[in-house]
Amino acid sequence: MTEVTSWPGTGQEPAACVRSITDDLLQRVEQRLSSFLSAERARYAEVDERAVVAVDALSDLVAAGGKRIRPAFCITGHLAAGGDPGDPGIVAAAAGLEMLHVSALVHDDVLDDSGRRRGKPTVHTVFSQRHQSRGWQGESRRFGEGVAILVGDLALVYSDELVSQAPPALLAQWHRLRSDVTIGQYLDIAAAAEFSVDPRLSRLIALIKTGRYTIHRPLVMGASAAGRPDLAAAFAAYGEAVGEAFQLRDDLLDAFGDAAQTGKPAGLDFRRHKMTLLLGWAMQRDERIRCLITQGGHSPDEVRRRLLDTGVPEHVEKHIAGLVERGCAALADAPVAPVWRHELTDMAVRGAYRNT
Amino acid sequence: MTEVTSWPGTGQEPAACVRSITDDLLQRVEQRLSSFLSAERARYAEVDERAVVAVDALSDLVAAGGKRIRPAFCITGHLAAGGDPGDPGIVAAAAGLEMLHVSALVHDDVLDDSGRRRGKPTVHTVFSQRHQSRGWQGESRRFGEGVAILVGDLALVYSDELVSQAPPALLAQWHRLRSDVTIGQYLDIAAAAEFSVDPRLSRLIALIKTGRYTIHRPLVMGASAAGRPDLAAAFAAYGEAVGEAFQLRDDLLDAFGDAAQTGKPAGLDFRRHKMTLLLGWAMQRDERIRCLITQGGHSPDEVRRRLLDTGVPEHVEKHIAGLVERGCAALADAPVAPVWRHELTDMAVRGAYRNT
């Protein structure tokens, strides 16, 4: 990992300046999200007091935090490609990516029946409980999940309204990103339902849901907005490798992480029979893991113990380091200023070694 | 109703010609939908055999029929505004409206737990049953509804990809249409859950979900694409009145219609405690209906019988006729060729007097 962290900053702009430009743009993304949602709230408040409920649920989730990884990659791709930091279109695109992610989270939490997200109760849980406590008509679960479907739909619609204010050159990537992530989600729940013990499928899902959705396509959207589609191949190679590292970290945090830090309960993937990238990887490397998983009926604790016994966490750490190195190496010959190459390396390292 | 059906066709183009132009464009909308979905299927077939499942579910629903009311209003708005019939952008916009509607139907069927749509089992029903019959992991209901959430999301994403190929002048209407219908759906399920006995809210929901979503905004989208936003006010007045007529017909068909013709079971709204426009209207006019509804615990059959006893169907028919007349009169002074005014009148009559 030494090359990765000591990448020489030989660009004209010092790294601190790069960070300050991206931080400033990310701040503008927050403002865009919040001004957009405030305007929508004001519009619907005039219609009926109930009409703002879905907008408020969305605003709460946006305000509850999140890592803003996709906006950060979109902005970095734009700036690395020489894009104008003052372009309001890139702020709109980055805000749209975050809004899309919020939509995916709200729907995903229904798909997975997750209780907590960003440290708070999930939308469907809040509205199911409200329905129950107020003794409303019909089934509480259906009402709560129904509201979550609509809140996610609203975020999906809003994501598009935001991105329509960005340069049209990025639309092709945007459309691919959105349909890909939906298909990736389907593959994910289908693989879990069928209990598909297929490491190839796990890798495919990770590639679609993390490599492309989180890294590669946001980067290419940013570069396209700057008129630099030529960076697509390098960003694809970087995104594929770094995305796999991010996903493995995600799986490790789910399996062994601290719920207080991640804002969601640990061990969920195992309980849901998800064939995570981590499990697929471990099964390919170790016959004992393969046996445990394929015979079925195992508890999350058994899986966790077996992974620890067979030294999987340490091996995965090495694999993650290799992926980060490979991803960053893919940028070596890309026509990008060294300071941005350095920044992208930093982002890879921060994501691959995050603890929340 | 005499003025309505005998509206003089004084334009240069005979009505038959108008119908043939719109039919031709609607045919092109079908082709656009089917070529779009085929291309998406081909793309995802290369990824994984499972990756086409959501696209296929969508294609099945598009192919299962539907009245294509929104595409028809969009095209008619375009042509009435003097738009070019050969513009591929208007075909894309109309196809996007239908795709959006398919998304709304798939999600709506989960919200309402409907079993049938367009004469076939609903998406969530099909996938819940598939999950159950194959003995897959997890809960069948969650899987089926999860797939339906994703299929609806995919249609929502595709709707936007289609509309992005239309003239940008219609985007503002498109964004409003999409967020409005989502908020309208929320109001609908919230009113049903709270069992809100509020005719004002019923009218508001009908205005948002039918007047604006089905008629007014598709017409204005078409007119905007033709560079004629000046028609917006006339189309809004037409859409508001005719939409109310359409919604009352919808409610009548739900209450008294033939399930074999409508493709969905009758009496669903009553069973779901929906405060339909019909019920709100009947409650405002007749104290006996108000008593039955507000005291609660009534069966669909009781409601139906009470509506018949108090002569509601006949009164509503008169009200529908008045609405159609009012809507069409709103076009009297609009700068639209008489032959298109005639066509819009015909469309109002066909929708308000449909039997499916």
Side-chain angles (χ1 to χ4, degrees), chain A residues 274-308:
Chain A
K274 285 252 162 106
M275 257 302 293
T276 63
L277 188 60
L278 174 66
L279 267 194
W281 187 83
M283 281 172 61
Q284 279 188 308
R285 291 188 70 262
D286 198 305
E287 192 51 37
R288 291 163 294 177
I289 306 279
R290 174 179 289 276
C291 284
L292 179 73
I293 301 299
T294 47
Q295 78 199 14
H298 45 275
S299 72
D301 279 340
E302 276 175 293
V303 179
R304 227 188 320 259
R305 204 163 44 237
R306 188 70 64 98
L307 290 174
L308 288 170

Side-chain angles (χ1 to χ4, degrees), chain B residues 63 76 119 122 130 221 226 247 275 339 342:
Chain B
T76 306
T122 49
R130 184 174 304 176
M221 278 173 68
Q247 187 58 54
M275 256 303 293
V339 70
H342 187 205

